[in-house]
Amino acid sequence: MNMEERNVKHPFKIILEKYISEILVIFIGISISFFFDEWRENRKDDETVKKHFTVLRTNLIQDTLKLTVMINHGRKLVNSINKLTYFKLDSDIKDSISFHIDNAGSYLVFKPNQMAYEEIRQTAHTNLIKNDSLKTLFLSYYTSTIPYCIEWCKIDETHTMTQLIPEMSSYFPVVIDSLNLVSSQEKIKALRIKKLRNLLLANAVYKKETINTFIFTKKTTINLLKKIDDELKK
């Protein structure tokens, strides 16, 4: 066999090389297509998460402001209860007694804005959050911190509505009633009754604990807000 005959490729090899080349072209084409599809999906997911985070950021800012207001309001309510329970002279509270009684008959409420959380939960987009520490804090905030805060608000409300107000109402109207006016002196006398005083002190304890949950929730809200801001800057 001469050199030229050895250099001539067998027809089967030519066909095999052709098929292999075509298969490689198809494989590369499919791989590139899958790559770009995955890239587009990831980009779409990132855009979706950023939209959720933008709304979530607004919700958290609103929650922070609400909590700040409720912390300050709660301290005023506790201060009024202290005025009603620790006064020494009648003249200490005589002129402001109706104001303090009105505060004592109030309870703390916090209604968080959970629009972004509900949207993420209902669309099952929690898995799109790639930052594990952020995801953990996000879920903990809405499934643990917020419910705990609301639970303490409910405790304060229940004690105020079912224990304190009924007891106070047996001596004087908690809300000023023009048809049933009770003098400041009569109210002061009632406030010296041990049972009413103890109920006021217990209510103050519930309010203080609720305020503590507000403070903790606010810190957690600010921490989550910072993490959201960091994600949005990426």
Side-chain angles (χ1 to χ4, degrees):
M1 182 179 294
N2 58 34
M3 185 67 68
E4 290 183 1
E5 288 177 336
R6 283 199 298 270
N7 288 337
V8 175
K9 291 185 177 181
H10 193 283
F12 176 76
K13 289 185 178 179
I14 295 174
I15 294 172
L16 182 61
E17 289 176 358
K18 180 181 178 182
Y19 279 132
I20 291 174
S21 299
E22 290 177 353
I23 290 171
L24 284 174
V25 169
I26 293 172
F27 176 76
I28 293 171
I30 292 173
S31 298
I32 292 173
S33 177
F34 277 134
F35 171 80
F36 279 108
D37 285 344
E38 185 177 357
W39 178 79
R40 280 194 294 267
E41 284 298 318
N42 288 336
R43 186 171 182 180
K44 183 180 178 182
D45 290 344
D46 289 342
E47 290 174 355
T48 299
V49 170
K50 283 194 173 183
K51 288 179 182 178
H52 285 316
F53 282 169
T54 300
V55 179
L56 179 59
R57 184 180 186 278
T58 301
N59 292 172
L60 294 173
I61 290 173
Q62 292 171 346
D63 287 352
T64 304
L65 293 174
K66 288 179 184 177
L67 288 164
T68 301
V69 170
M70 291 312 301
I71 290 168
N72 293 331
H73 179 60
R75 285 169 176 164
K76 290 178 181 178
L77 300 187
V78 172
N79 180 63
S80 284
I81 293 175
N82 289 338
K83 292 285 186 180
L84 296 175
T85 53
Y86 294 115
F87 70 93
K88 294 181 179 179
L89 302 175
D90 293 0
S91 57
D92 291 342
I93 61 168
K94 185 176 180 181
D95 295 335
S96 57
I97 192 167
S98 294
F99 170 77
H100 293 312
I101 288 173
D102 183 57
N103 278 348
S106 302
Y107 53 85
L108 297 170
V109 178
F110 173 55
K111 294 182 179 179
N113 189 333
Q114 302 192 68
M115 184 173 67
Y117 168 68
E118 290 298 332
E119 179 67 22
I120 293 172
R121 185 179 65 83
Q122 291 173 11
T123 55
H125 283 165
T126 306
N127 62 323
L128 298 182
I129 303 175
K130 298 176 182 178
N131 186 322
D132 289 337
S133 64
L134 171 57
K135 185 191 294 185
T136 300
L137 182 59
F138 167 74
L139 291 173
S140 175
Y141 179 77
Y142 284 104
T143 62
S144 179
T145 304
I146 291 296
Y148 183 69
C149 184
I150 294 174
E151 181 182 352
W152 268 103
C153 289
K154 192 64 181 176
I155 291 171
D156 177 38
E157 177 187 357
T158 300
H159 185 267
T160 302
M161 295 298 292
T162 65
Q163 300 291 322
L164 183 59
I165 290 180
E167 184 64 23
M168 285 197 296
S169 297
S170 64
Y171 303 104
F172 49 77
V174 177
V175 178
I176 296 176
D177 185 356
S178 59
L179 300 177
N180 183 22
L181 294 175
V182 177
S183 68
S184 296
Q185 203 60 45
E186 289 177 283
K187 293 177 181 178
I188 291 172
K189 183 180 178 181
L191 289 169
R192 294 187 184 280
I193 296 173
K194 187 175 181 180
K195 183 179 180 182
L196 179 54
R197 187 174 182 275
N198 287 341
L199 280 173
L200 283 165
L201 290 172
N203 192 259
V205 171
Y206 291 134
K207 281 180 169 55
K208 287 176 184 177
E209 189 57 39
T210 304
I211 292 168
N212 288 336
T213 64
F214 286 161
I215 294 171
F216 173 77
T217 303
K218 181 181 175 180
K219 289 179 180 178
T220 308
T221 305
I222 292 172
N223 190 20
L224 179 56
L225 182 59
K226 287 179 179 178
K227 287 186 175 292
I228 293 295
D229 282 340
D230 290 341
E231 285 298 309
L232 289 173
K233 289 176 183 177
K234 291 181 180 179

Short mmCIF file of all heavy atoms in Angstrom, two decimals, residues 84-108:
data_model
loop_
_atom_site.label_atom_id
_atom_site.label_comp_id
_atom_site.label_asym_id
_atom_site.label_seq_id
_atom_site.Cartn_x
_atom_site.Cartn_y
_atom_site.Cartn_z
N LEU A 84 -51.82 57.31 89.44
CA LEU A 84 -53.04 56.89 90.12
C LEU A 84 -52.77 55.97 91.31
O LEU A 84 -53.62 55.85 92.21
CB LEU A 84 -53.98 56.18 89.14
CG LEU A 84 -54.53 57.02 87.98
CD1 LEU A 84 -55.35 56.14 87.03
CD2 LEU A 84 -55.37 58.18 88.49
N THR A 85 -51.64 55.32 91.32
CA THR A 85 -51.37 54.33 92.38
C THR A 85 -50.37 54.81 93.44
O THR A 85 -50.38 54.32 94.56
CB THR A 85 -50.84 53.01 91.77
OG1 THR A 85 -49.72 53.31 90.92
CG2 THR A 85 -51.92 52.32 90.96
N TYR A 86 -49.50 55.75 93.07
CA TYR A 86 -48.46 56.16 94.00
C TYR A 86 -48.62 57.58 94.54
O TYR A 86 -47.70 58.10 95.19
CB TYR A 86 -47.08 56.03 93.33
CG TYR A 86 -46.69 54.60 93.02
CD1 TYR A 86 -46.54 54.17 91.71
CD2 TYR A 86 -46.49 53.68 94.05
CE1 TYR A 86 -46.19 52.85 91.42
CE2 TYR A 86 -46.13 52.36 93.78
CZ TYR A 86 -45.99 51.96 92.46
OH TYR A 86 -45.64 50.65 92.19
N PHE A 87 -49.76 58.22 94.28
CA PHE A 87 -49.94 59.59 94.78
C PHE A 87 -50.03 59.57 96.31
O PHE A 87 -50.56 58.64 96.92
CB PHE A 87 -51.19 60.22 94.17
CG PHE A 87 -52.49 59.64 94.66
CD1 PHE A 87 -53.17 60.21 95.73
CD2 PHE A 87 -53.05 58.51 94.04
CE1 PHE A 87 -54.37 59.67 96.19
CE2 PHE A 87 -54.24 57.97 94.50
CZ PHE A 87 -54.90 58.54 95.57
N LYS A 88 -49.52 60.62 96.94
CA LYS A 88 -49.56 60.73 98.39
C LYS A 88 -50.64 61.70 98.85
O LYS A 88 -51.40 61.42 99.77
CB LYS A 88 -48.19 61.18 98.91
CG LYS A 88 -47.10 60.13 98.68
CD LYS A 88 -45.76 60.59 99.23
CE LYS A 88 -44.68 59.52 99.01
NZ LYS A 88 -43.36 59.98 99.53
N LEU A 89 -50.69 62.83 98.17
CA LEU A 89 -51.69 63.83 98.52
C LEU A 89 -52.77 63.88 97.45
O LEU A 89 -52.49 63.69 96.26
CB LEU A 89 -51.04 65.21 98.66
CG LEU A 89 -49.91 65.33 99.70
CD1 LEU A 89 -49.27 66.71 99.64
CD2 LEU A 89 -50.43 65.04 101.10
N ASP A 90 -54.00 64.14 97.86
CA ASP A 90 -55.09 64.25 96.89
C ASP A 90 -54.80 65.32 95.85
O ASP A 90 -55.15 65.17 94.68
CB ASP A 90 -56.41 64.59 97.62
CG ASP A 90 -56.87 63.45 98.51
OD1 ASP A 90 -56.18 62.42 98.57
OD2 ASP A 90 -57.93 63.60 99.14
N SER A 91 -54.16 66.38 96.30
CA SER A 91 -53.86 67.50 95.40
C SER A 91 -52.88 67.12 94.29
O SER A 91 -52.78 67.81 93.28
CB SER A 91 -53.30 68.68 96.19
OG SER A 91 -52.13 68.29 96.91
N ASP A 92 -52.16 66.00 94.48
CA ASP A 92 -51.18 65.56 93.47
C ASP A 92 -51.85 65.18 92.15
O ASP A 92 -51.24 65.32 91.08
CB ASP A 92 -50.38 64.35 93.99
CG ASP A 92 -49.45 64.73 95.14
OD1 ASP A 92 -49.18 65.93 95.30
OD2 ASP A 92 -49.02 63.82 95.87
N ILE A 93 -53.07 64.66 92.23
CA ILE A 93 -53.73 64.19 91.00
C ILE A 93 -55.12 64.77 90.79
O ILE A 93 -55.76 64.47 89.78
CB ILE A 93 -53.83 62.65 90.99
CG1 ILE A 93 -54.66 62.16 92.18
CG2 ILE A 93 -52.45 62.00 90.95
CD1 ILE A 93 -55.04 60.71 92.08
N LYS A 94 -55.58 65.58 91.72
CA LYS A 94 -56.97 66.06 91.67
C LYS A 94 -57.33 66.71 90.33
O LYS A 94 -58.37 66.43 89.75
CB LYS A 94 -57.22 67.05 92.81
CG LYS A 94 -58.67 67.50 92.92
CD LYS A 94 -58.85 68.39 94.13
CE LYS A 94 -60.31 68.84 94.22
NZ LYS A 94 -60.53 69.74 95.39
N ASP A 95 -56.44 67.58 89.84
CA ASP A 95 -56.75 68.34 88.62
C ASP A 95 -56.60 67.52 87.34
O ASP A 95 -57.17 67.87 86.30
CB ASP A 95 -55.86 69.58 88.53
CG ASP A 95 -56.14 70.58 89.64
OD1 ASP A 95 -57.28 70.56 90.16
OD2 ASP A 95 -55.23 71.35 89.99
N SER A 96 -55.82 66.45 87.39
CA SER A 96 -55.56 65.65 86.17
C SER A 96 -56.07 64.22 86.27
O SER A 96 -55.73 63.38 85.45
CB SER A 96 -54.06 65.63 85.89
OG SER A 96 -53.35 65.11 87.01
N ILE A 97 -56.90 63.95 87.26
CA ILE A 97 -57.31 62.57 87.52
C ILE A 97 -58.08 61.96 86.35
O ILE A 97 -57.90 60.79 86.02
CB ILE A 97 -58.13 62.48 88.83
CG1 ILE A 97 -58.30 61.01 89.22
CG2 ILE A 97 -59.48 63.20 88.70
CD1 ILE A 97 -58.81 60.82 90.63
N SER A 98 -58.96 62.75 85.70
CA SER A 98 -59.74 62.21 84.58
C SER A 98 -58.82 61.82 83.42
O SER A 98 -59.03 60.79 82.76
CB SER A 98 -60.77 63.26 84.10
OG SER A 98 -61.74 63.48 85.10
N PHE A 99 -57.80 62.63 83.19
CA PHE A 99 -56.82 62.34 82.13
C PHE A 99 -56.09 61.03 82.42
O PHE A 99 -55.95 60.17 81.53
CB PHE A 99 -55.82 63.50 82.03
CG PHE A 99 -54.64 63.21 81.14
CD1 PHE A 99 -54.76 63.25 79.77
CD2 PHE A 99 -53.40 62.89 81.71
CE1 PHE A 99 -53.66 62.98 78.95
CE2 PHE A 99 -52.31 62.61 80.89
CZ PHE A 99 -52.44 62.66 79.51
N HIS A 100 -55.64 60.85 83.64
CA HIS A 100 -54.90 59.64 84.00
C HIS A 100 -55.80 58.40 83.99
O HIS A 100 -55.36 57.31 83.60
CB HIS A 100 -54.26 59.81 85.38
CG HIS A 100 -53.17 60.84 85.41
ND1 HIS A 100 -52.16 60.89 84.47
CD2 HIS A 100 -52.95 61.88 86.27
CE1 HIS A 100 -51.35 61.89 84.74
NE2 HIS A 100 -51.80 62.52 85.83
N ILE A 101 -57.05 58.55 84.39
CA ILE A 101 -57.98 57.43 84.35
C ILE A 101 -58.25 57.01 82.90
O ILE A 101 -58.31 55.81 82.58
CB ILE A 101 -59.30 57.79 85.06
CG1 ILE A 101 -59.09 57.85 86.57
CG2 ILE A 101 -60.40 56.78 84.73
CD1 ILE A 101 -60.28 58.36 87.35
N ASP A 102 -58.38 57.99 82.03
CA ASP A 102 -58.59 57.70 80.61
C ASP A 102 -57.40 56.93 80.04
O ASP A 102 -57.57 55.97 79.28
CB ASP A 102 -58.80 59.00 79.84
CG ASP A 102 -59.10 58.76 78.37
OD1 ASP A 102 -60.08 58.06 78.07
OD2 ASP A 102 -58.34 59.25 77.51
N ASN A 103 -56.19 57.32 80.41
CA ASN A 103 -54.98 56.62 79.96
C ASN A 103 -54.92 55.20 80.54
O ASN A 103 -54.55 54.25 79.85
CB ASN A 103 -53.73 57.38 80.37
CG ASN A 103 -53.40 58.51 79.41
OD1 ASN A 103 -53.97 58.60 78.32
ND2 ASN A 103 -52.51 59.39 79.81
N ALA A 104 -55.29 55.08 81.81
CA ALA A 104 -55.26 53.76 82.46
C ALA A 104 -56.23 52.80 81.80
O ALA A 104 -56.00 51.58 81.79
CB ALA A 104 -55.58 53.91 83.95
N GLY A 105 -57.32 53.34 81.26
CA GLY A 105 -58.32 52.50 80.60
C GLY A 105 -58.01 52.23 79.14
O GLY A 105 -58.84 51.68 78.41
N SER A 106 -56.81 52.60 78.70
CA SER A 106 -56.39 52.37 77.31
C SER A 106 -55.45 51.18 77.25
O SER A 106 -54.83 50.80 78.25
CB SER A 106 -55.68 53.61 76.75
OG SER A 106 -56.52 54.75 76.83
N TYR A 107 -55.32 50.58 76.08
CA TYR A 107 -54.39 49.46 75.90
C TYR A 107 -53.56 49.67 74.65
O TYR A 107 -53.88 50.51 73.80
CB TYR A 107 -55.14 48.12 75.84
CG TYR A 107 -56.26 48.06 74.82
CD1 TYR A 107 -56.00 47.75 73.49
CD2 TYR A 107 -57.58 48.31 75.20
CE1 TYR A 107 -57.02 47.69 72.55
CE2 TYR A 107 -58.60 48.26 74.27
CZ TYR A 107 -58.32 47.95 72.95
OH TYR A 107 -59.34 47.90 72.02
N LEU A 108 -52.46 48.94 74.56
CA LEU A 108 -51.49 49.11 73.47
C LEU A 108 -51.84 48.24 72.27
O LEU A 108 -52.22 47.07 72.43
CB LEU A 108 -50.09 48.79 73.98
CG LEU A 108 -49.60 49.72 75.10
CD1 LEU A 108 -48.31 49.19 75.71
CD2 LEU A 108 -49.40 51.12 74.58
#
